[in-house]
Amino acid sequence: FLSSVETLKLDMDLCLANKESLVIGGEIIKDVLKKSKGKLFPIDSEHVALHKLFKHSSLEEVERVIITASGGSLRELPKEKLKYVTKEEVLNHPTWKMGNRITIDSATMVNKGFEFIEACHLFNIDIDDIEVLINDESIIHSALLYKDNSYLFEVGPSDMKVAIGYAHNEGRRVKADFKDIMFNRKTSLNFRYFDEERYPLFTKVIETYKKKGTAMAFFNAVDEELISYFLKDVISFEEMVNLIIKIVDEKMINIINPSVNDIVKVDKLAREIVNSYMNERAKD
């Protein structure tokens, strides 16, 4: 977050690869961007896709903005078996090779909630006008549902080089050696219902974002800290999810209209709260 703010203050272009900068301090970054000569180019494949789609559309024509998801590493697992899931299962993403935290956030759909927030800041969209579409193959990256009930999809390889290349070329498509999907009789698109009950942390992200202030800075820090305990085998996947909800509900620190220092302070305090809670838990 701090690096993103300082880059824009230096009038430099920012290719933003992390979600957290906009998630925890989107309003501040937008204010800095207004005064900066630098430009912000998101690298998330979903937001690159939306950038491309909005080149052909206006918000006035759009009924819903659709951000796609893979469903995460546990999408095939029955809900009743989630309490028994292993760390190895959670980290085995079906279509993307990513770092540990983002892979776990994909399994809980926290990552998708963060992408909703990013889209709100990047495209001035109300979060209630965005929905999830689960695409098993991860080759539909985003879509628009128009008011006449027709859709516009952005389809491409599940390869981050595509999104990075688009950002580096300042929103221009250039010829590059990316693998073609090669649509033929062997290529199919499969979708599945998005069950919010299966992903309670997704709902918690949306609820927390609507509180504004430092609420998402608090959530983000709690999420990251408890993921570290899960990775160290201190807590189970189910315990991690339940503890994130419990601490966010019971210990929230929310400063309205925060400064950069407020966000940094709340991030630190949230981590201290988690670690204190876990230390006390270990004594019981």
Side-chain angles (χ1 to χ4, degrees):
F1 168 66
L2 291 176
S3 298
S4 299
V5 170
E6 291 305 315
T7 297
L8 292 172
K9 282 185 176 180
L10 292 170
D11 294 326
M12 297 172 65
D13 289 345
L14 173 62
C15 290
L16 188 60
N18 76 79
K19 306 174 194 304
E20 291 77 11
S21 291
L22 285 171
V23 166
I24 72 175
E27 294 300 331
I28 290 174
I29 287 179
K30 285 195 294 185
D31 287 342
V32 173
L33 191 57
K34 289 176 185 176
K35 303 168 188 173
S36 175
K37 294 178 182 177
K39 299 176 183 177
L40 190 157
F41 299 98
I43 289 180
D44 260 350
S45 61
E46 293 82 359
H47 303 95
V48 166
L50 286 175
H51 189 273
K52 294 173 182 176
L53 292 171
F54 276 122
K55 281 189 172 182
H56 306 283
S57 314
S58 67
L59 271 176
E60 289 72 26
E61 299 175 290
V62 174
E63 183 70 24
R64 305 284 285 177
V65 172
I66 298 167
I67 293 180
T68 51
S70 65
S73 54
L74 308 178
R75 67 188 187 188
E76 305 291 348
L77 203 66
K79 282 190 286 188
E80 61 272 16
K81 293 187 177 181
L82 288 174
K83 62 176 66 177
Y84 307 113
V85 72
T86 66
K87 180 171 63 179
E88 289 71 27
E89 288 174 306
V90 177
L91 293 174
N92 185 27
H93 196 281
T95 52
W96 293 97
K97 300 300 180 186
M98 307 179 290
N100 287 347
R101 185 196 173 184
I102 194 170
T103 303
I104 295 168
D105 277 345
S106 177
T108 62
M109 281 284 186
V110 163
N111 183 55
K112 204 51 51 180
F114 282 9
E115 289 174 4
F116 272 40
I117 295 170
E118 283 186 276
C120 291
H121 292 305
L122 290 168
F123 304 105
N124 296 315
I125 304 167
D126 188 288
I127 203 160
D128 290 329
D129 292 331
I130 311 174
E131 64 182 33
V132 181
L133 176 66
I134 295 181
N135 169 226
D136 288 3
E137 293 79 17
S138 295
I139 60 175
I140 297 177
H141 301 295
S142 281
L144 300 177
L145 168 61
Y146 291 111
K147 291 182 177 177
D148 63 1
N149 288 328
S150 60
Y151 288 81
L152 183 63
F153 289 87
E154 203 278 332
V155 183
S158 51
D159 187 333
M160 284 306 298
K161 293 195 292 290
V162 178
I164 293 168
Y166 186 79
H168 280 188
N169 287 288
E170 299 186 355
R172 291 178 289 112
R173 300 174 188 263
V174 299
K175 187 171 179 59
D177 187 23
F178 300 136
K179 183 179 179 181
D180 191 346
I181 296 173
M182 297 297 292
F183 281 108
N184 54 41
R185 285 178 295 177
K186 294 182 180 180
T187 302
S188 61
L189 292 173
N190 294 281
F191 305 95
R192 64 182 72 204
Y193 170 69
F194 176 62
D195 181 1
E196 288 196 24
E197 291 185 6
R198 184 183 181 88
Y199 303 104
L201 285 182
F202 171 83
T203 302
K204 184 55 62 177
V205 169
I206 305 304
E207 289 176 0
T208 305
Y209 166 72
K210 290 180 178 181
K211 297 179 187 294
K212 303 297 182 182
T214 57
M216 281 309 304
F218 187 89
F219 182 103
N220 176 69
V222 170
D223 179 70
E224 188 169 35
E225 287 299 306
L226 284 169
I227 282 175
S228 72
Y229 282 98
F230 169 66
L231 288 170
K232 291 183 286 190
D233 298 313
V234 175
I235 53 178
S236 69
F237 181 79
E238 184 181 56
E239 287 174 321
M240 178 193 73
V241 170
N242 290 337
L243 283 172
I244 291 170
I245 294 171
K246 177 180 176 64
I247 293 175
V248 167
D249 283 347
E250 297 179 1
K251 305 291 184 180
M252 170 65 70
I253 301 171
N254 192 10
I255 301 170
I256 303 300
N257 298 320
S259 65
V260 170
N261 288 337
D262 288 332
I263 290 174
V264 172
K265 178 175 71 175
V266 169
D267 177 270
K268 180 182 178 182
L269 288 173
R271 296 175 194 277
E272 290 174 355
I273 288 169
V274 171
N275 291 318
S276 176
Y277 183 92
M278 293 303 295
N279 288 336
E280 289 299 316
R281 189 175 184 269
K283 295 175 184 178
D284 294 340

